[in-house]
Amino acid sequence: MTTRATTAPSSVAGSVELRSLTKTYASAVAVDDLSLDVQPGEFLSLLGPSGCGKTTTLRMIGGFEFPDDGSIQISGQNVENLPPHKRPVNTVFQAYALFPHMKVADNVAYGLRRSGVPKSDMADRVARALDMVRMTAFASRKPAQLSGGQQQRVALARALVNRPAVLLLDEPMSALDRKLREEMQVELKLLQHELGTTFIFVTHDQEEALSMSDRVAVMKDGRIEQIGTASDVYDSPESAFVAGFIGRQNSFAGTISSFDGDGVNVRTSGLSLYSSRPTKGSVPASSGGEVSAAIRPESVVVTAGTAAATADARVNSVTGTLLGVSELGHSLQLVIHTPSDDQILARLPRAANPPTELGSPVLCSWSADAVRIFTS
């Protein structure tokens, strides 16, 4: 099923409207009947594993690939048959694609020269673009004299100097180390907010997409599985794929054992689980239907001791043995082994003072609204 944005599309500068976009390579379908609305000034991320169609979608918006079917509107103009230089977009590529023989200022000015911008305006626009990305002091250097983060800033300045209605970014931070990538994520989001330019960002990094985006479109097999805010896709995933791809989870296969009002009881090979918020439309109508249950590690509470799990079917708890403890900075990650040979992952803040003695008995519990149910 193709997912569409719920808000009405806009034809003002910076809007993007994709309708039934399809692209195949030989017998492989890269993008499958995809429709999407991006609002002016929005920071939207296309997120998914390799081969899901996110980069192909971006390249079709930019004009580097042409769709087999469907339409692309940018700022109200149909552009699906236009070459890249005739579209109101610019692209920042993964490899930055800077000219090694040119100085930084000349790299930034390159697009302006091709567009015939007068020299009297060019110097001022280049200076402002370099100032935006804090690279004014490096205007006379060549790319080989810059760090990876500095090269990325130059690539951003070169793309933004042309004042595009939409900026496309194809995994531009994948080559940076973790610390620099996190710093650049903050800077890029602040820059986008300051400029008000529409950003469409392709990444396979879940944390990157969640931390930067106004909305995230999670893709699988050329289609959008779910689109929404970071909290939408993380806290309320609409499919087992989204739940599994966005962050870590404990996943258990089982069957519906009974219904209790709006909730549902699920029996796995070793656990009884109760969910008060099964995913709408995903739960079989009768008992015996096969499902999977997902619980985020941060939803699991771990306490020391051997207190028996409650007999109340609507309360989720199970005893186990503490198998492993990992340091995660401000939090701890615990691995618990249950008598039914399941493993439960829990993440707790240090302030919660969770048990840390390996081999000690513990009780795991989680609320009914922390359990998401999906069809298997």
Side-chain angles (χ1 to χ4, degrees):
M1 180 181 70
T2 301
T3 303
R4 300 175 185 268
T6 57
T7 52
S10 172
S11 60
V12 302
S15 65
V16 178
E17 302 168 26
L18 310 180
R19 292 292 177 267
S20 301
L21 212 60
T22 300
K23 180 67 178 179
T24 59
Y25 298 101
S27 59
V29 179
V31 177
D32 187 9
D33 193 32
L34 184 147
S35 293
L36 172 67
D37 295 326
V38 185
Q39 301 302 315
E42 183 175 19
F43 194 126
L44 178 99
S45 287
L46 300 178
L47 172 67
S50 297
C52 71
K54 56 188 186 294
T55 293
T56 301
T57 300
L58 195 81
R59 289 178 62 83
M60 286 192 285
I61 297 171
F64 301 102
E65 300 281 354
F66 292 98
D68 299 325
D69 198 7
S71 66
I72 303 170
Q73 281 198 359
I74 300 175
S75 303
Q77 176 189 10
N78 280 93
V79 300
E80 62 268 11
N81 295 316
L82 297 180
H85 67 278
K86 291 190 176 182
R87 301 187 185 197
V89 303
N90 262 337
T91 305
V92 178
F93 295 100
Q94 183 175 346
Y96 311 140
L98 301 177
F99 297 110
H101 63 287
M102 290 185 182
K103 295 178 181 179
V104 165
D106 295 327
N107 263 284
V108 175
Y110 179 78
L112 298 177
R113 289 196 189 93
R114 291 197 62 183
S115 301
V117 173
K119 287 186 177 181
S120 57
D121 295 334
M122 193 181 303
D124 180 58
R125 288 176 63 173
V126 169
R128 280 187 288 167
L130 288 174
D131 183 60
M132 278 191 301
V133 297
R134 298 188 291 111
M135 287 297 292
T136 301
F138 302 88
S140 297
R141 294 193 186 182
K142 291 186 176 179
Q145 298 173 297
L146 305 176
S147 67
Q150 290 168 338
Q151 289 184 47
Q152 187 201 51
R153 289 189 179 95
V154 176
L156 280 169
R158 186 177 63 180
L160 291 167
V161 76
N162 288 318
R163 300 170 183 168
V166 179
L167 186 65
L168 309 176
L169 302 106
D170 187 9
E171 304 212 44
M173 293 183 280
S174 61
L176 304 181
D177 63 60
R178 183 177 182 86
K179 183 176 184 297
L180 182 55
R181 186 188 313 166
E182 290 175 350
E183 292 174 356
M184 290 303 301
Q185 288 169 9
V186 174
E187 292 188 16
L188 187 61
K189 179 58 182 174
L190 290 174
L191 180 62
Q192 188 268 339
H193 181 74
E194 177 185 343
L195 296 173
T197 303
T198 304
F199 278 26
I200 302 179
F201 186 90
V202 160
T203 182
H204 65 275
D205 187 309
Q206 300 95 325
E207 291 183 8
E208 190 168 77
L210 295 177
S211 66
M212 297 174 67
S213 312
D214 297 317
R215 286 190 303 156
V216 179
V218 184
M219 295 187 64
K220 176 190 177 187
D221 298 334
R223 291 172 172 254
I224 296 176
E225 281 276 301
Q226 184 175 349
I227 185 168
T229 65
S231 59
D232 288 337
V233 297
Y234 188 83
D235 295 330
S236 302
E238 295 176 357
S239 70
F241 172 79
V242 174
F245 189 78
I246 304 291
R248 298 291 300 274
Q249 68 167 347
N250 296 288
S251 184
F252 306 97
T255 58
I256 299 291
S257 60
S258 64
F259 293 90
D260 179 6
D262 293 330
V264 60
N265 290 291
V266 175
R267 182 68 190 176
T268 74
S269 60
L271 298 171
S272 293
L273 302 171
Y274 176 73
S275 173
S276 63
R277 49 180 293 194
T279 303
K280 185 177 181 181
S282 71
V283 177
S286 59
S287 299
E290 295 184 351
V291 295
S292 62
I295 304 138
R296 296 291 187 194
E298 60 268 27
S299 297
V300 180
V301 177
V302 183
T303 53
T306 57
T310 177
D312 189 342
R314 293 170 298 177
V315 177
N316 296 290
S317 60
V318 63
T319 57
T321 303
L322 186 58
L323 193 63
V325 179
S326 301
E327 302 274 350
L328 297 177
H330 65 283
S331 62
L332 295 175
Q333 180 169 282
L334 280 58
V335 180
I336 297 93
H337 185 260
T338 73
S340 57
D341 211 26
D342 287 308
Q343 283 192 1
I344 297 175
L345 189 68
R347 288 181 179 172
L348 298 98
R350 288 180 177 274
N353 196 27
T356 57
E357 183 181 350
L358 300 186
S360 62
V362 295
L363 177 69
C364 297
S365 59
W366 51 88
S367 63
D369 64 0
V371 184
R372 306 294 297 183
I373 305 296
F374 308 97
T375 52
S376 298

